[in-house]
Amino acid sequence: MRAKLTYLVTAAALVLYFVLAGSRGVLLIRHGTLLTVTFGVAVLILPVIGIWFLWKNTQFVRRANALAAELDAAGGLPVDELLRTPSGRIDRDSADAVFARRREETEDSPDDWRCWFRLAVAYQDARDTPRARKAMQRAIALHANKPVRA
C-alpha cells in the first residue's frame, strides 16, 4: 500500500510540474519573438515526453499487478524463500540460487507467462532491474497473446 501511495504522490507532483512547465511554454510562445517561440516549443516538448513516459509506466505497473493478482488467485506466486542478512537485505547467493531455478523453469516452458513472471521476480531479487523489466514485459505480452520480441 505504501508503494502505491508513493507512486500516486509522485505522479501527481509530476503532473503538476508538467502543467506549470506547459503554461510557461505557452507564455513564451505568446510573446511572439523567434527566440521565445523556439524556447516555448522546446519547453512544451518536455511535458509531452514526461506525460507519455508516465502513462507507459503506469500501464506497465497496472498490467504487472493484474498478472500478480491472477497468479496469486491461482496459488502460483513465488514463495519468498530467500535468506536475508541481519539488516534485512536479500543474501546475494540465495538470490542467485533461486534465479538459477527460475531460469531453468523458464527455459523448459518459454511460452508460459507464469514462468516469465517468476523469472522477473527473481531478477528483481538479484538486483537486475533492467532484465526484471524485460522479463515482466515478456510475461505481459505472453499473457495478452501478443507477439513477443526476441
Side-chain angles (χ1 to χ4, degrees), residues 67-68 70-72 74-79 81 95 98-103 105-106 109 112-126 132 135-136 139:
L67 291 186
E70 185 175 331
L71 208 52
D72 186 30
L77 276 180
V79 177
E81 55 190 308
V98 171
F99 170 77
R101 285 199 318 265
R102 298 293 182 219
R103 186 182 65 225
E105 176 185 301
T106 305
S109 303
D112 186 358
W113 68 266
R114 294 162 196 85
C115 293
W116 283 98
F117 182 95
R118 289 188 284 267
L119 181 64
V121 172
Y123 270 127
Q124 188 64 38
D125 290 342
M136 187 60 73

Side-chain angles (χ1 to χ4, degrees), residues 42-150:
V43 168
L44 284 177
I45 289 172
L46 293 175
V48 169
I49 292 170
I51 288 170
W52 173 83
F53 184 75
L54 184 62
W55 175 252
K56 294 304 276 184
N57 277 311
T58 302
Q59 283 183 319
F60 174 77
V61 169
R62 289 181 68 218
R63 290 176 182 154
N65 285 340
L67 291 186
E70 185 175 331
L71 208 52
D72 186 30
L77 276 180
V79 177
D80 186 2
E81 55 190 308
L82 300 169
L83 300 175
R84 305 211 185 261
T85 64
S87 65
R89 293 191 69 146
I90 294 172
D91 178 64
R92 181 70 178 196
D93 293 333
S94 175
D96 288 344
V98 171
F99 170 77
R101 285 199 318 265
R102 298 293 182 219
R103 186 182 65 225
E104 288 173 13
E105 176 185 301
T106 305
E107 287 170 353
D108 292 342
S109 303
D111 295 328
D112 186 358
W113 68 266
R114 294 162 196 85
C115 293
W116 283 98
F117 182 95
R118 289 188 284 267
L119 181 64
V121 172
Y123 270 127
Q124 188 64 38
D125 290 342
R127 298 186 199 123
D128 192 347
T129 303
R131 288 188 179 149
R133 190 170 180 89
K134 289 286 184 192
M136 187 60 73
Q137 288 170 340
R138 188 171 189 118
I140 291 167
L142 286 169
H143 184 266
N145 293 319
K146 291 184 179 178
V148 177
R149 290 185 272 167

